[in-house]
Amino acid sequence: MTSNPLADHRYSILEEKILDQSYDFVTHNCQLWLEQEPENDRFCYYVGLALLLQGEPEEAQAVWLLRLTEQEADTVDEFSESLIVFLDQAALKHESQKRIEATWAIRRCIRDLQPDHLNNTLAEIRLSIQTSRANFKSLENIEWIAWLETLDKHEQRNIETSSLQATVVTLLENAPLESITHQLTKFSFSIIGDAPGFEKYLVDRCLAIYNDFGRPDLVAYLLQSYCEKYPDAYEPLLRLSAIFNRLKEYEQGAKIAQRLYQLSPTIVDQAIVNYQWIYNLLYCGGKWEEAKQRSTVQDALLNRLINEGTSNSLMSRSNEPPDTEQSRSFGLRLTTLTYSNAYLRDNLKLNRHFQNGIYSLSYEELSTYKRLKGLNASLQQRAPQIVSSKGTLSKKVLKIGYISHCFGCHSVGWLARWLIKYHDRDRYQIYGYVMLPRDRDPLQEWYLKTFDQVRLFPTQVANDLATVFQQIVEDGIDILVDLDSYTLGLTCAVLALKPAPIQVSWLGCDAPGLPTIDYFIADPYVLPDWAQEHYLEKIWRLPHTYIAVQGFELGVPTLRRDTLNIPDNAIVYFSGQAGLKRNPRFMLLQLKILASVPDSHLVIAGLSDQESLRDHMHSIAEHAGVDQKRLHFLERAASEAIHRANLTLMDIALDTYPYNGATTTLELLWVGVPVVTRVGEQFTARNSYTMMVNTGIEEGIAWTDEEYIEWGIRFGMEPALRQTVRWKLHQSKQYSPLWNVTKFTKDLESAYQQMWKTYSQKQGLWEE
């Protein structure tokens, strides 16, 4: 098209009127100017654009099509290309004015005119989401999806990488479960995979997709696709190893960790990867000896870390000043390193040495993060909210905050609900800090309705530790109670920042070992008398039990003896723990019991690699002289209620060691199944012991391996013993501390009052 000053002036007027939405002016004047300049196609473009922005795309295209038919054969392509350029420029102008609806309409029109205009389609996808117009079924049928990956390297260079990256991020943020997201993201790796910051974004976003939507399969697809392009990508491989664990592909996860170990540049990296390696091996169910070997390596790595500290050389950091993200990330990473110890050995002193040492290092790193983020100032501002005037503290309504990622259909969720329900609301205001909330979880919905105040921290928010910290400070929480222990690094990291004057660990597992946690809730049985010297937290022993429940919902059982090929007169033993609790030495004890009791069978359930576990148990059975046909492996029940109902089929439960059952033991006792447990010295080796004592049951409590076998055989051979214990368990529901939730709640509330009094006295604020 020929350009001249008069035409340029008219174009400027038209641009202004288009933005002012003076469409009638545009149409009228373009028609007049076309009569004066009949060869000027651009006036025709403006007429169509005005119609398009008035919501008449068909009329707009009709105008352009009519003009196209008037072109000479050799100018048709030039006309079409010029029109696309014109519309593209119009879209950019409208987008710069934040006129998103108009921009979307133009981009949509360009796609109709030129479906293979990739950069336009990328922009349209982003706009579709911004305007809530996204029709993913329609987008999935876009023709370019089919030929996208067939583009050669030369053609791919024509893709605007910034636009592609922006579109991928928009889809991952707003439509992570859609097919188009998976396809486009996978394609994008060859173009933007090495863009600065993209790998970290992808790893973080995959973690959020897993936590927020529970889709490990999708996360594995994305990470595997990325690692195909970048086979030595350290962080994606590390996350992929963990995700394979969630997908129950434990051996594959272990293989990735084994390869990663060779790529690990620092002691910390080696310890993190080695832990992931151990974790997957334990879940396999048949890789215990290999896990033990890796555990020896882990001990050496942890000892070196504790002795040498988190120096720059260990972290491969530069000599530059510490960075908040480095400190946050490093502090979080340390919280995973000791998780497997309690499964591998019953050694309270050694395990606490590692637990306390590593978590103290984590605390140091997170203290740096806290200082750099200026969070100490937040606490100083909170101080007036903490204190009250003399003589009124004893009447203060305490604000109790419970923080966990398990407020839902999870072992902790099933147990903690009774305390939350029975708290005295006249003396306590109960806050729930829900880390990584779950989607469509009925028990979580119950918690959200039952807490007095609820704060939800999805993955992206929870990862910003300062936001969680500030919220707890702003709420003025007096006592913050941790229900996760070391099972979630994010919760530990929040506690390390000390957002509340009193912090307590309860229920989730053994104490984390953080210097910022004041108390660890226990009872007279779950820890030995001499345990305190090995804990940084003060052990606060409740008078009877550290946990009580009012019961469990039961469904309709789905198991029968005949469906398992078990004779009616057989003795049915039950072992229902995850693969990482199945110490082969202790499994041999269970099968020795089976070998000594005629007509007995063992039902095995729990999360693990079923094929590996089956091979493992069959090997042990052969060693013990037990026919493989006497072993029965169960798949996971359809619901918790059905699982508990199926427990009524069992005659005797054989507990695991050195990591006992906890929720499983409570469920077994509730439905009246006698339990044989081996008592150790660490917290996780004494859970069943305290639960049995608190139901008045001594039968089945073993202090040695020999006693464990003896009790197992006695229960199998003596029907009267089984009947006696079943009767005791039935009666215990009337008087046992384990089932007396109101008494337990009062005991714990009394502990909170004493903790608050002690704190207030230290602050000089208490007056009797």
Side-chain angles (χ1 to χ4, degrees), residues 18 62 151 184 211 253 291 315 426 431 449 455 463 523 529 603 617 626 628 648 668 697 739:
I18 284 285
L151 295 178
L184 186 59
N211 287 328
M315 294 181 287
D426 292 332
Y431 285 69
K449 294 175 183 177
R455 311 291 185 229
N463 272 298
D523 59 35
D529 295 339
V603 174
M617 293 299 294
V626 174
Q628 295 179 4
T648 59
L668 287 161
I697 302 296
W739 316 123

Side-chain angles (χ1 to χ4, degrees), residues 21-22 35 71 102 125 152 164 173 214 225 232-233 255 284 332-333 384 396 420 487 501 514 553 587 658 684 768:
Q21 302 180 29
S22 300
E35 292 175 2
Q71 302 294 311
I125 292 171
D152 62 28
L164 179 59
E173 295 289 339
S225 300
D232 292 336
K255 288 178 181 178
C284 283
L332 276 170
R333 284 174 178 272
K396 173 181 172 65
I420 305 306
T487 64
L514 281 170
E553 296 84 352
M587 294 301 100
T684 55
E768 296 290 351

Side-chain angles (χ1 to χ4, degrees), residues 138-163:
S138 172
L139 290 174
E140 287 167 13
N141 292 327
I142 295 173
E143 291 182 5
W144 57 266
I145 284 287
W147 55 260
L148 209 49
E149 295 190 5
T150 68
L151 295 178
D152 62 28
K153 296 292 184 182
H154 175 74
E155 291 174 310
Q156 287 185 12
R157 283 198 293 271
N158 295 326
I159 299 172
E160 294 177 6
T161 55
S162 60
S163 179

Side-chain angles (χ1 to χ4, degrees), residues 233 412 609 753:
V412 169
D609 183 312
Q753 289 290 336

Side-chain angles (χ1 to χ4, degrees), residues 46-117:
Y46 278 112
V47 172
L49 179 60
L51 290 169
L52 174 66
L53 295 178
Q54 292 178 85
E56 299 178 10
E58 293 84 1
E59 288 78 358
Q61 292 191 40
V63 169
W64 297 325
L65 181 61
L66 178 61
R67 186 73 175 183
L68 180 65
T69 61
E70 298 171 354
Q71 302 294 311
E72 297 292 336
D74 59 349
T75 63
V76 169
D77 290 343
E78 181 183 346
F79 176 88
S80 299
E81 291 173 5
S82 296
L83 174 59
I84 296 299
V85 171
F86 170 82
L87 291 173
D88 192 61
Q89 292 173 344
L92 291 173
K93 288 176 183 177
H94 279 76
E95 188 169 15
S96 69
Q97 298 288 320
K98 300 191 182 306
R99 299 184 176 185
I100 305 302
E101 289 284 348
T103 308
W104 175 84
I106 297 170
R107 293 291 181 196
R108 182 70 181 82
C109 182
I110 293 174
R111 177 153 69 89
D112 287 340
L113 296 171
Q114 188 176 346
D116 60 355
H117 189 327

Side-chain angles (χ1 to χ4, degrees), residues 376-390 392-394 396-399 469 472-479 498-502 755-756 759-763 765-766:
N376 289 321
S378 301
L379 281 178
Q380 293 170 3
Q381 296 170 3
R382 181 197 190 286
Q385 301 174 11
I386 297 174
V387 301
S388 300
S389 60
K390 290 184 178 180
T392 63
L393 282 172
S394 61
K396 173 181 172 65
V397 174
L398 290 177
K399 289 186 175 182
F469 172 91
I472 297 171
V473 170
E474 183 181 317
D475 289 338
I477 295 300
D478 298 311
I479 301 176
K498 191 73 170 179
I502 301 171
M755 293 172 190
W756 180 253
Y759 166 78
S760 302
Q761 287 174 330
K762 288 181 180 178
Q763 300 297 314
L765 301 169
W766 187 272

Side-chain angles (χ1 to χ4, degrees), residues 13 122 127 163 292 299 333 379 383 406 420 473 481 490 507 602 646 691-692 716 750 756:
I13 294 173
L122 293 173
L127 292 163
S163 179
K292 289 278 286 184
D299 286 352
R333 284 174 178 272
L379 281 178
C406 300
I420 305 306
V473 170
V481 184
L490 286 170
L507 189 59
L602 178 63
N646 287 338
M691 293 166 184
M692 291 168 69
S750 176
W756 180 253

